[in-house]
Structures are given as structure tokens and as C-alpha cells.
Amino acid sequence: MVDSSPSPRRIAPRKLATLTAGAALGLAVAGAAQAAGTQGFDATGPEKFWLAVNQGGESGMAVEILTDLGLVEGHLRAGVALYQAGLADQAVGHMKHPQDEIYADLAAHLEDAGIAGFAEELTALAATVEERADAGDVEAAFAAVMTKVEEARGAAQAGAAGEAQAMLALVRTAADEYGEGVADGAVKELHEYQDAWGFVQVARAMAEHMAAESAAGEKAFGANALSALDEIAPALPGVSPEGRSLGDAGMLLVAAAKIELAAYGLK
């Protein structure tokens, strides 16, 4: 069978240190205080958030791991949804692209962090889709991948601020994909639209997880993030939106900005 899926396109989430003037100001204030040798410096508000999520080292690596795990999951969520909808030909590309686009870099980071990878599970999932296996087999293979993904997330220990940064990166990457996939309220590149749909689904799952936390800051952030994502639901009506009126990438960027602001309250 000829593979008609789109050619792989490496997705590179933006680095959040350059996203807003507020973020740059926060880092500048924190950095200046540290450079001056201030003892016991305790940044608050935006400064504390952006210092936490942009400090590099182990924390920066954890955020990269969470972001790439989210990109992998987003592709797979789109693929499984398409397969369940009887659109196996479209599903194939989404199952193959995580390894083609993302997994090599992710695997290196996982190895550096001493976290188990899941190449075999990814390969097995792609094979079930390519072989047009029963939907139950595809769902079981997906569950096996997700078990490994969740284990890797936990082992990364990114913290609440790191989770927020990864979520924000996913929504901003979704906005980029949406801009590629949608024009004048209609689909022009279906695969890119579906990428955006999958990434937002992952961001929503992350927000739901944080909204269920007992810590007040995380709970409030999760609730605010969910509210922002609810507002863009009309722009992403489903994984297969043909014939529906859609939105534009600006809607997703507005949601990202609201998530970014909500994250300032995290400790």
C-alpha cells in the first residue's frame, strides 16, 4: 500500500523566554538581583514564575521533556480519534510522525535524565494502525504508550511552573499549526489542523489535572487555563472538521496569553 500521508515536518515549539516583554522584564529583574549577589533573593509574581521556568539546567530539561511528551501525545490522540472515526488513512501519518519528528530528541533527553523511553511501544502502535487492526487493539496499544508517557512525566519532576510552561508551549505550537491549517475560517491543510486539535487536547488534559490538585495555586491556574481553552472550542470542533466554520490562529494566541497570565500566580 502506498503511504499517502504528509511528509514529516519537525515541530519546534517557541522558547517562552522571548514571548512577552513581561517575561523578559521578570527575568531581567531576577537576573540582576542574582548577579549583584543578593542573598536570599525571593522573586514574586511574574519574576518568580519566569525565573522558575527559564532557569535552564535540570528544570529547563524537564520542561523540554514535558513539552515533547505533549507533542507526541497530541499526534497520537489525533491518530486514535481518526481511527475510531473510520479514517485510518489519515490516522497513519499521525502515528508515524512522533518518531519521525520528535522522538529522537526526546529519547536523548530522557536518557540524559535517566528516564525510560518508549520507542517499542510507539512502533507497536504505528504498526497496529498501518495493519488496520481492530479498534480495540489500537486503543490497547495507545494505552501502552500512554502508560510510558505518564511515567516519564512523573519522573521529569518539572513542578507546577514547569507544567504551566509546557502547556503554554503546546497551545502556542497549536496556534502555529492552526495558522498553517486554516484560512478564512476553512481547512486548507487538514493534517496541520489535526495537529493543533491534538495539542490542545493534551493542554486541556494537563489543565484538568492541575485543576484537580489540592494546592490552591495549581487549582486556580488549572481552572483559569480550562476557561481559556473553553473559549477556543468553537475553533476546534473535532478532529475531522470538514464543512464546519472555523476560527483563526489569533483565537489560540489569545488563549495562550490568558494561560500565561494565569501562570503568574503559581508558586
Side-chain angles (χ1 to χ4, degrees), residues 26-238:
L27 286 173
V29 171
Q34 288 186 324
T38 304
Q39 298 299 314
F41 174 74
D42 184 18
T44 59
E47 294 86 359
K48 185 168 186 176
F49 173 70
W50 288 107
L51 178 62
V53 298
N54 291 281
Q55 62 185 338
E58 292 183 1
S59 178
M61 179 70 73
V63 172
E64 286 193 39
I65 288 173
L66 255 61
T67 301
D68 278 351
L69 287 170
L71 294 174
V72 168
E73 182 182 346
H75 276 297
L76 301 184
R77 280 178 177 258
V80 169
L82 289 165
Y83 202 84
Q84 291 171 332
L87 299 170
D89 289 344
Q90 294 181 32
V92 169
H94 290 285
M95 296 307 187
K96 291 172 60 178
H97 286 186
Q99 283 187 315
D100 293 338
E101 297 180 1
I102 305 163
Y103 189 77
D105 290 342
L106 172 58
H109 292 325
L110 292 175
E111 183 176 359
D112 289 343
I115 300 173
F118 47 95
E120 291 183 5
E121 288 81 3
L122 272 180
T123 300
L125 174 57
T128 61
V129 172
E130 289 176 334
E131 294 165 2
R132 306 302 192 264
D134 291 340
D137 293 335
V138 171
E139 290 165 10
F142 174 64
V145 174
M146 286 308 303
T147 294
K148 294 290 189 178
V149 167
E150 292 302 332
E151 289 175 355
R153 280 199 178 106
Q157 298 183 340
E163 288 187 52
Q165 186 187 13
M167 185 193 306
L168 184 51
L170 287 171
V171 176
R172 288 189 176 277
T173 304
D176 288 342
E177 294 298 296
Y178 199 90
E180 293 286 333
V182 177
D184 299 323
V187 172
K188 65 174 184 178
E189 296 291 344
L190 183 58
H191 190 93
E192 276 66 36
Y193 166 87
Q194 290 165 345
D195 284 345
W197 180 89
F199 300 153
V200 170
Q201 291 295 305
V202 177
R204 172 173 288 279
M206 294 173 71
E208 289 172 347
H209 171 75
M210 295 186 78
E213 292 291 325
S214 57
E218 293 179 44
K219 192 177 188 71
F221 168 74
N224 287 327
L226 282 172
S227 178
L229 294 173
D230 283 343
E231 293 176 6
I232 61 173
L236 294 155

